[in-house]
Amino acid sequence: FNIDRPEDFKGHSLSVSDVVVLHQNGKDTAHYTDSIGFVDISQNFLLENPLKTAEQSTEQNANMIDGIINNTPAADGLEAAGKQISLEQYAETLKQDEAAKSAEPDKTAENAGQDKEPLTELQQKAIEIAKGYETLSMQDRINIIAQSFGCTSGKIQTSPCTGKWRGTSDISIKFDNGTSLFIGNRRTPQAKTQKVQNEYVNSALVRYNPEIIKATKEAAINTLRKRETKDNEIAAQKGLKPYTLLNVEFNDVTDEKSSGHMGWYYVTLAVGDKIHALIETGLNYAILDGKVSETPTREDYFVAGALKESDVDYVFNNAGFSSTSSLYSLPVRDEVRERAEKTLAERSEAQQAAPEAKTIYYTINEGAARRANDMNSFYDYKPGSATAEYRQMVDKAVEIGEHQKKRVDPMYHE
C-alpha cells in the first residue's frame, strides 16, 4: 500500500495503527497495521454490513441497519423512530417482517456459516456470563463495567465528532476516577437515545466485567506456559535469554502512562532478573478471543518492528523482543509487580521441590554379552563391560532429560 498500490486505493501511505479494509469475493475484512505485519481484526472492527455507514445517514431508525437503504422500518423499529403507532400498524409490520424472513431461507442459511466464524469456547462463555446481567438496569450494568477498571460507577457521555465524522457522536462511559471508555459511535440523534446506548453498554459488558476478565486470564495462562518451552528453545539456539511466564494481566488504566492501551490484555515475564510487561496487538486479540496457541503462530523468526537486533534478549511467539526497551512494554505497577514476584517465587519453589528422578537400570546378561563378543571379535571380553556401557548410555539420557525439565514448568513434569 506504500509502493505497489492497488489501483483503487486512494488512501495515504500506511503507518502503524492504520486499519485497512479489503473487499474480496463479496466479503469485507479489516486488518490492523501493527509494527509486525497485519492483524486481522474483522470480528471486532467491522460493522455488521458494508452499507451500515450509509444507512446510519439515511434510515429512519437504528433498527434498520440491515444492508438495504431506506426500506420500511421493522416492527421493533417503529417506536424507535419516535412516532405514535397503532396496534394495527404494528401487526401489519410484523407480517412484513415474517414474510421477509421466510423469503430466502436457503440463502440465509448458506451465508450464515460463510460470513461468521464459529465462536470460540471463551466467546460463548462471555455471552453466557453477560446474559446473567440482562435483568439489571442500565446504570447497574455500567457500574459492573466500571468495576473492571477499578472504579465503582460511571455514566454515559456523548461527544460530537468533526471532519469526515461530522453528524455522528462518540459514546463513552466516564468512570468516577475521570477516565473514559469509548464504546461506540452513531449518528448524533441516535447516539443520545437510551436504546442505542443500551445496545453499546450490553456489547461492552460482554468484554468488560470482572467475571469474564478472570475467565479470559485463566483460559490463556496454561496455554501460554506451554508455548514458553518452544520459545525458550528458539532463544537458546540464538544465544538469547529464556523467559518465565508469570501472569496474564488486564490493563485497567489506573495510571496515565498506560492509558493508550485501555482494556488490553498483556503478560508479565521474568527475563533474567527483570520483571517485564509485554503488550502486543496480536497477543491482546488472541487472549481476548480465546485463540491463544500452544505453539508459536509465526512460522519464521524475526525481530519485532522498530527494535534493533542488538536490543533483543528474548523470544516470544517466535519474534525477538527486548526486556530493556519501552517498545512493546507497559510500566509495571506496584500491584502487578507484587503478583508477578509471587508467581515467580511459586514457580521457582515448585521447580526446586520437584523430586529427583530415580534412575532405573535393567540387568544385562553378561554371559550372552561374552558369547556375542567371542563370535564377533578377536579380543577377549572384559567382564562387566556390557553393563558399564549400558549404564553410561542411560546416565547420558537422564542428564539430557533433567536439563530439559529445568526449562519446563514443574506442573508438566511426570
Side-chain angles (χ1 to χ4, degrees), residues 245-406:
L245 181 74
L246 302 177
N247 299 311
V248 175
E249 297 283 353
F250 175 77
N251 186 24
D252 56 12
V253 197
T254 55
D255 62 79
E256 293 182 2
K257 294 180 180 179
S258 306
S259 59
H261 297 91
M262 185 175 188
W264 279 42
Y265 288 93
Y266 64 99
V267 295
T268 51
L269 312 169
V271 182
D273 58 356
K274 181 181 177 63
I275 301 295
H276 172 64
L278 172 67
I279 189 165
E280 192 251 343
T281 306
L283 175 64
N284 167 65
Y285 282 107
I287 294 173
L288 175 66
D289 295 332
K291 295 181 178 179
V292 178
S293 170
E294 294 182 3
T295 57
T297 56
R298 297 178 176 118
E299 187 173 343
D300 298 317
Y301 170 85
F302 57 89
V303 174
L307 284 176
K308 297 178 181 177
E309 184 79 52
S310 57
D311 294 332
V312 172
D313 59 355
Y314 74 98
V315 175
F316 188 91
N317 197 19
N318 206 13
F321 288 94
S322 171
S323 64
T324 58
S325 171
S326 60
L327 296 173
Y328 306 99
S329 180
L330 286 179
V332 182
R333 303 196 309 267
D334 290 342
E335 64 270 27
V336 173
R337 182 178 298 279
E338 186 177 335
R339 286 194 293 269
E341 290 175 345
K342 180 181 177 183
T343 302
L344 180 59
E346 290 172 350
R347 291 195 63 180
S348 299
E349 183 180 345
Q351 190 169 355
Q352 292 171 3
E356 289 293 327
K358 183 180 179 182
T359 305
I360 299 174
Y361 299 105
Y362 293 97
T363 302
I364 297 298
N365 189 327
E366 283 291 323
R370 178 186 292 276
R371 290 192 293 273
N373 179 81
D374 292 345
M375 287 188 292
N376 295 283
S377 175
F378 292 106
Y379 297 97
D380 292 336
Y381 178 73
K382 184 178 179 180
S385 60
T387 297
E389 184 180 0
Y390 157 70
R391 290 198 171 200
Q392 186 179 12
M393 295 172 67
V394 170
D395 290 341
K396 182 63 177 176
V398 170
E399 181 185 347
I400 294 172
E402 289 299 321
H403 176 72
Q404 290 299 109
K405 279 179 67 175
K406 291 178 181 179

Side-chain angles (χ1 to χ4, degrees), residues 11-263:
H12 59 74
S13 296
L14 294 190
S15 59
V16 173
S17 83
D18 286 340
V19 175
V20 180
V21 178
L22 301 178
H23 183 74
Q24 296 175 305
N25 301 321
K27 182 179 178 181
D28 289 341
T29 55
H31 306 269
Y32 176 86
T33 307
D34 200 357
S35 300
I36 310 173
F38 296 88
V39 178
D40 191 330
I41 58 170
S42 304
Q43 187 168 356
N44 295 311
F45 180 83
L46 285 180
L47 302 171
E48 284 81 350
N49 67 73
L51 295 177
K52 184 168 183 178
T53 302
E55 290 188 82
Q56 286 177 336
S57 304
T58 58
E59 294 289 6
Q60 301 174 43
N61 58 80
N63 187 64
M64 289 312 298
I65 309 303
D66 56 4
I68 304 174
I69 296 293
N70 208 28
N71 56 321
T72 306
D76 61 352
L78 286 169
E79 292 182 86
K83 298 180 180 179
Q84 194 79 15
I85 62 170
S86 66
L87 288 175
E88 182 179 358
Q89 184 182 6
Y90 187 80
E92 182 59 33
T93 307
L94 278 176
K95 291 179 183 178
Q96 294 175 8
D97 289 349
E98 292 302 317
K101 288 176 184 177
S102 59
E104 295 180 312
D106 293 335
K107 183 178 179 181
T108 302
E110 179 184 348
N111 292 340
Q114 295 177 356
D115 295 341
K116 291 187 178 180
E117 291 183 16
L119 296 178
T120 64
E121 185 177 339
L122 180 64
Q123 290 170 333
Q124 292 173 342
K125 186 173 185 177
I127 292 172
E128 290 303 314
I129 290 173
K131 283 181 180 178
Y133 302 117
E134 284 180 341
T135 58
L136 299 179
S137 67
M138 185 164 75
Q139 184 58 54
D140 285 340
R141 280 176 278 137
I142 289 173
N143 293 346
I144 289 172
I145 295 172
Q147 292 171 23
S148 301
F149 295 90
C151 303
T152 56
S153 63
K155 60 181 181 180
I156 291 288
Q157 285 192 335
T158 60
S159 54
C161 300
T162 58
K164 66 179 181 180
W165 297 104
R166 183 182 297 276
T168 70
S169 288
D170 287 343
I171 306 170
S172 304
I173 299 176
K174 185 169 184 178
F175 301 125
D176 51 19
N177 68 351
T179 60
S180 294
L181 174 69
F182 170 81
I183 59 174
N185 175 279
R186 280 289 182 92
R187 288 184 61 215
T188 296
Q190 296 173 354
K192 296 180 180 294
T193 65
Q194 187 172 12
K195 180 181 184 295
V196 170
Q197 293 174 2
N198 189 64
E199 245 177 63
Y200 283 116
V201 167
N202 285 341
S203 177
L205 192 61
V206 174
R207 289 172 290 163
Y208 306 125
N209 69 74
E211 193 175 351
I212 188 57
I213 290 173
K214 180 182 177 183
T216 301
K217 291 179 181 179
E218 291 174 349
I221 189 67
N222 288 336
T223 305
L224 285 171
R225 282 187 177 164
K226 292 178 182 177
R227 184 196 289 175
E228 172 189 310
T229 304
K230 183 61 178 175
D231 279 335
N232 287 342
E233 287 177 1
I234 298 170
Q237 294 169 6
K238 298 183 176 297
L240 302 174
K241 299 176 183 177
Y243 71 79
T244 301
L245 181 74
L246 302 177
N247 299 311
V248 175
E249 297 283 353
F250 175 77
N251 186 24
D252 56 12
V253 197
T254 55
D255 62 79
E256 293 182 2
K257 294 180 180 179
S258 306
S259 59
H261 297 91
M262 185 175 188

